[in-house]
C-alpha cells in the first residue's frame, strides 16, 4: 500500500550568507488518479500549522492528493531572520520547494500575501515554459502589492522617519503579541514585484474568496485584482461577514468546495 503520510523535510535555499533552511511538510499523493496536487502558500508572518493550512492537508489526506506546505524563511520552523525577508526572497523559496517536491499539475492555494506569491509563481513558471504545471489557483483574501497599495499610503510621518533612519518600523497586530515589522528592503522590493500594473495571465482557472469585513485587505482590493485577470475562468466570491482570517467552519467549507470545483475542472 502506498504511503500517504505527511513527511517533515528541509530544503536549503540560497548559497553562502544567503543560505537558509526551509521547513517543508510534504504528503505524496496516492496513485491511480490524474487529479492535481495542492500547494499551500501562507501569508505574512503566518506558518504552515495555521487552521487553513491544516484543513487543506486534511482534505488532501481524505482525497489521496499530493499536498505541499512550507514556511518561508523567518517564519514558523524555517531558518533565517524575518527581517531579511522580501517578496523576491520568499518567491525564490516557494519556487525552490515547488521544484523539489512536486510533480505534475498543481493547484496553488495562496492566503493573503501567499496570493501575491502565487501570482508571481505563475509569471515565473510561464517565463520558463512551465505554465502547464498549474491546474488552478485558489486565492484567499489575496494581498498582491500590499506593501505599495495597502501599507505605504497609510504610513504616518513617524513611520516614514523610522523607515528612512532605521530601515524598519513596527505596528501592533491583532493576530499575536509581537508587532508587525516592515522593512525598507521589503517595501522597495515589493514595488519591484508589482503585479497590479498590467494584465496578469495565470494560464489557469482562478477562484478568489474575499471577506467584506476584512480590516487588512479591503474587498475593493479583490475587485481591483479582478480587473487585471482578464480571462473568463476567474470567479470571485465575496463573503459579507467574512474577516481576513477566513478560518470559520463556513469559510473552510467554501475553501474546500472551491477546491472540489477546481479539481473537477470547473467553478
Amino acid at each position: 500500500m502506498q504511503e500517504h503520510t505527511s513527511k517533515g523535510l528541509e530544503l536549503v535555499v540560497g548559497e553562502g550568507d544567503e543560505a537558509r533552511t526551509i521547513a517543508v511538510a510534504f504528503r505524496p499523493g496516492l496513485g491511480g488518479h490524474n487529479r492535481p496536487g495542492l500547494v499551500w502558500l501562507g501569508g505574512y508572518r503566518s506558518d504552515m500549522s495555521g487552521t487553513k493550512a491544516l484543513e487543506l492537508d486534511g482534505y488532501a489526506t481524505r482525497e489521496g492528493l499530493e499536498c505541499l506546505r512550507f514556511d518561508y524563511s523567518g517564519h514558523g520552523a524555517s531558518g533565517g531572520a524575518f527581517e531579511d525577508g522580501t517578496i523576491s526572497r520568499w518567491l525564490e523559496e516557494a519556487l525552490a520547494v515547488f521544484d523539489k517536491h512536486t510533480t505534475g499539475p498543481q493547484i496553488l492555494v495562496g492566503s493573503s500575501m501567499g496570493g501575491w506569491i502565487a501570482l508571481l509563481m505563475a509569471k515565473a513558471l510561464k517565463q520558463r515554459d512551465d505554465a502547464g504545471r498549474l491546474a488552478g489557483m485558489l486565492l484567499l483574501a489575496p494581498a498582491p502589492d500590499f506593501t505599495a497599495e495597502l501599507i505605504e499610503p497609510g504610513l504616518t510621518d513617524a513611520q516614514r522617519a523610522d523607515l528612512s533612519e532605521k530601515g524598519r518600523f513596527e505596528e501592533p497586530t491583532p493576530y499575536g503579541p509581537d508587532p508587525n515589522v516592515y522593512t525598507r528592503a521589503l517595501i522597495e522590493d515589493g514595488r519591484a514585484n508589482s503585479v497590479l500594473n498590467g494584465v496578469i495571465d495565470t494560464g489557469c482557472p482562478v477562484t478568489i474568496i474575499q471577506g467584506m469585513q476584512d480590516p487588512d485587505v479591503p474587498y475593493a482590493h479583490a475587485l481591483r485584482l479582478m480587473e487585471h485577470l482578464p480571462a473568463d475562468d476567474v470567479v470571485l466570491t465575496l463573503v459579507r461577514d467574512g474577516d481576513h482570517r477566513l478560518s470559520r467552519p463556513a469559510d473552510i467549507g467554501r475553501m474546500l468546495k472551491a477546491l472540489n470545483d477546481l479539481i473537477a475542472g470547473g467553478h
Side-chain angles (χ1 to χ4, degrees):
M1 183 175 180
Q2 187 174 352
E3 187 179 12
H4 188 53
T5 57
S6 184
K7 301 174 181 178
L9 306 167
E10 292 183 340
L11 177 67
V12 176
V13 179
E15 299 179 352
D17 292 342
E18 292 298 312
R20 58 271 191 203
T21 301
I22 304 303
V24 177
F26 178 66
R27 184 181 301 282
L30 296 179
H33 63 72
N34 296 317
R35 293 178 297 169
L38 308 175
V39 178
W40 174 255
L41 300 165
Y44 191 73
R45 290 193 65 191
S46 68
D47 59 49
M48 61 178 167
S49 63
T51 300
K52 294 188 295 294
L54 294 179
E55 291 284 354
L56 185 76
D57 187 64
Y59 173 84
T61 303
R62 297 188 297 274
E63 297 293 325
L65 301 176
E66 182 179 292
C67 185
L68 174 66
R69 295 174 293 133
F70 70 99
D71 288 333
Y72 308 114
S73 58
H75 291 67
S78 286
F82 177 79
E83 290 189 31
D84 289 339
T86 62
I87 300 302
S88 293
R89 185 177 174 93
W90 294 326
L91 172 63
E92 178 190 14
E93 294 158 6
L95 286 167
V97 171
F98 181 89
D99 290 341
K100 174 69 174 179
H101 293 289
T102 69
T103 57
Q106 302 290 318
I107 293 175
L108 303 182
V109 184
S111 175
S112 193
M113 183 186 77
W116 189 1
I117 300 292
L119 295 169
L120 290 169
M121 285 182 68
K123 179 180 179 180
L125 291 171
K126 184 178 180 182
Q127 287 175 342
R128 67 186 200 192
D129 295 324
D130 267 347
R133 291 292 312 281
L134 296 187
M137 198 177 288
L138 174 57
L139 308 181
L140 309 168
D145 299 9
F146 78 90
T147 49
E149 299 293 333
L150 303 178
I151 300 298
E152 285 194 78
L155 292 179
T156 65
D157 290 342
Q159 289 170 333
R160 292 182 189 277
D162 282 347
L163 275 177
S164 176
E165 298 165 12
K166 303 176 184 177
R168 67 197 291 276
F169 76 91
E170 299 180 357
E171 68 174 13
T173 170
Y175 304 114
D178 298 322
N180 275 336
V181 176
Y182 298 101
T183 66
R184 183 168 60 229
L186 173 71
I187 289 175
E188 291 176 350
D189 182 76
R191 295 189 201 116
N193 282 288
S194 176
V195 295
L196 297 179
N197 55 1
V199 172
I200 304 172
D201 182 10
T202 64
C204 67
V206 179
T207 295
I208 302 169
I209 302 176
Q210 172 69 49
M212 295 182 72
Q213 305 301 318
D214 187 335
D216 301 303
V217 181
Y219 72 88
H221 198 67
L223 296 175
R224 183 177 173 197
L225 174 58
M226 287 285 287
E227 295 175 359
H228 293 268
L229 292 164
D232 292 334
D233 52 357
V234 180
V235 168
L236 168 64
T237 296
L238 293 176
V239 183
R240 184 175 294 278
D241 63 345
D243 60 8
H244 188 62
R245 287 188 176 98
L246 292 176
S247 294
R248 301 168 303 176
D251 299 323
I252 297 300
R254 290 185 188 93
M255 179 181 82
L256 300 185
K257 181 182 184 303
L259 283 172
N260 278 331
D261 292 343
L262 284 169
I263 290 169
H267 296 287

